[in-house]
Amino acid sequence: MSDEILLDVKDLKVHFSKKKMFKDPVTVHAVDGVSFSVPKGKTFGIVGESGSGKTTTALGVLRLVPVTSGSVSLQGTDITSLEKEDLRQARRSFQMVFQDPYSSLDPRRRVGEIVREPLDLMDIGDKDERDEVVRQLFVQVGLRPELTNLFPHQFSGGQRQRVGLARALATKPDLIVCDEPVSALDVAVQAQILNLMRKLQEEMGVTYLFISHDLGVVQHLCDHVAVMYLGQIVEQADRVSLFSNPKHPYTKALLSAVPKVSAVDKKEKRIHLQGDPPSPINLPKGCRFAGRCPMAQDKCHDTPPPLIDTGSDHLAACHLVA
């Protein structure tokens, strides 16, 4: 990628230790060596089934969970090394939009106060002008400014997510991490929120790290996509390459499960995966997908495949591709 890199994640690991009575502690390898870069003003998507580690990756990038090892750099600043006041000040540069628009807003506070809170906490702008900034943010996300005096329960799900977007935009961040921001919304409302996010990106130049399990949503919004399985990236490419020419068997299985509309697409054979993913506590010796892969060979069970470039920055971790 020739664009200026805003977010650079290198070998990120997030492990959780679980203590059991009268037994040795066990380690959950939630994220196990993830690396990617996001150009400024672009959208990078991370997809995968539940338990793949995509949300934990996002929380690790934001320093909302302890990072075991690796580095996360935002505009050249290593935020994994920041602590206390330095980390608090850096947070104005990266914000988050949460999955559930119902539980992510304080029901006891008016929405105007919720959106203004980041400005007050980080002492941004003049105190007397912050209410006007909040009203402008409401207009930006498609809400009437007079709605600032209402409580969250007086809004629909789509409107609440617009409030969440306004709160994330309050500090004028460079990066917004979106953790499945439309999964709790109706399909029609999903399209409205996604179009709003794209519009805000064009107007403000904001960069998105977009977490989702919905491949249709990812294809609509993201410029680059990484596919995660059991804590690792198994494939990464630009949106067009990934959806038109997937390399990894897991990616092919995910794409085959997407409901088809046209008669031609319906004729495509669906790939049925057998069994469940291995435990993140007792990881397999070789490829982590080998136990469910319909094309696995002996080598797949013994040796973990490296993530290699198959051409045109299309990365895949599969012995068969190599």
Side-chain angles (χ1 to χ4, degrees):
M1 298 181 228
S2 58
D3 302 282
E4 178 188 352
I5 299 299
L6 177 81
L7 177 68
D8 190 22
V9 179
K10 293 182 178 178
D11 198 27
L12 179 67
K13 294 183 180 180
V14 180
H15 297 168
F16 301 104
S17 294
K18 297 177 66 176
K19 294 182 179 180
K20 292 188 175 183
M21 189 175 294
F22 307 120
K23 293 183 179 180
D24 294 332
V26 296
T27 300
V28 178
H29 300 79
V31 179
D32 206 23
V34 167
S35 300
F36 60 87
S37 299
V38 186
K40 190 173 184 178
K42 300 292 184 180
T43 302
F44 188 90
I46 301 180
V47 300
E49 60 189 315
S50 297
S52 62
K54 55 188 186 296
T55 294
T56 307
T57 299
L59 296 177
V61 167
L62 291 173
R63 291 288 307 277
L64 295 179
V65 295
V67 173
T68 305
S69 64
S71 65
V72 178
S73 297
L74 186 67
Q75 286 192 324
T77 301
D78 184 3
I79 61 177
T80 52
S81 63
L82 299 179
E83 297 293 342
K84 298 180 180 179
E85 182 61 22
D86 291 335
L87 178 60
R88 194 182 79 87
Q89 290 297 327
R91 288 198 183 279
R92 68 174 62 190
S93 299
F94 50 93
Q95 293 292 316
M96 186 169 190
V97 176
F98 296 92
Q99 178 178 0
D100 188 356
Y102 296 92
S103 62
S104 61
L105 303 178
D106 188 342
R108 297 165 297 181
R109 304 185 66 184
R110 301 180 190 276
V111 292
E113 297 174 7
I114 293 173
V115 174
R116 177 179 166 137
E117 186 176 22
L119 301 175
D120 293 331
L121 289 175
M122 298 183 183
D123 197 24
I124 298 174
D126 187 81
K127 289 183 179 180
D128 298 331
E129 298 177 354
R130 288 173 189 167
D131 286 339
E132 178 59 30
V133 172
V134 170
R135 286 191 285 269
Q136 292 174 2
L137 286 168
F138 267 57
V139 173
Q140 276 188 298
V141 299
L143 294 173
R144 301 195 309 275
E146 59 266 24
L147 299 179
T148 55
N149 289 322
L150 300 182
F151 290 93
H153 73 270
Q154 296 175 279
F155 291 83
S156 66
Q159 288 175 320
R160 293 186 201 195
Q161 204 58 297
R162 290 175 188 266
V163 173
L165 268 171
R167 177 176 58 182
L169 291 168
T171 64
K172 297 183 179 179
D174 299 306
L175 173 71
I176 296 181
V177 176
C178 307
D179 182 17
E180 307 217 30
V182 297
S183 63
L185 307 176
D186 294 336
V187 174
V189 181
Q190 284 186 9
Q192 295 173 10
I193 297 299
L194 293 173
N195 290 334
L196 171 63
M197 291 178 63
R198 186 180 291 276
K199 176 174 173 286
L200 292 171
Q201 187 175 53
E202 293 172 354
E203 292 176 352
M204 306 177 68
V206 67
T207 304
Y208 294 126
L209 176 60
F210 194 88
I211 310 299
S212 181
H213 67 275
D214 190 327
L215 291 169
V217 169
V218 169
Q219 188 175 18
H220 176 75
L221 188 69
C222 299
D223 300 293
H224 266 73
V225 183
V227 180
M228 284 191 70
Y229 184 80
L230 205 61
Q232 293 184 332
I233 291 177
V234 296
E235 186 164 1
Q236 181 180 324
D238 66 87
R239 179 188 65 230
V240 175
S241 297
L242 188 94
F243 282 89
S244 63
N245 186 26
K247 303 289 187 181
H248 197 279
Y250 178 61
T251 308
K252 294 178 182 179
L254 288 180
L255 292 176
S256 76
V258 177
K260 305 300 190 295
V261 177
S262 68
V264 175
D265 291 336
K266 286 182 179 180
K267 293 179 181 179
E268 293 182 6
K269 186 178 179 181
R270 182 169 179 176
I271 301 173
H272 294 276
L273 299 179
Q274 303 297 321
D276 297 318
S279 168
I281 297 174
N282 299 311
L283 295 171
K285 180 181 177 182
C287 174
R288 299 183 181 185
F289 185 61
R292 304 175 71 196
C293 181
M295 300 185 294
Q297 301 175 357
D298 291 341
K299 183 180 182 180
C300 301
H301 294 280
D302 297 329
T303 308
L307 189 66
I308 61 171
D309 190 347
T310 63
S312 302
D313 286 332
H314 192 143
L315 310 179
C318 180
H319 290 304
L320 302 179
V321 173

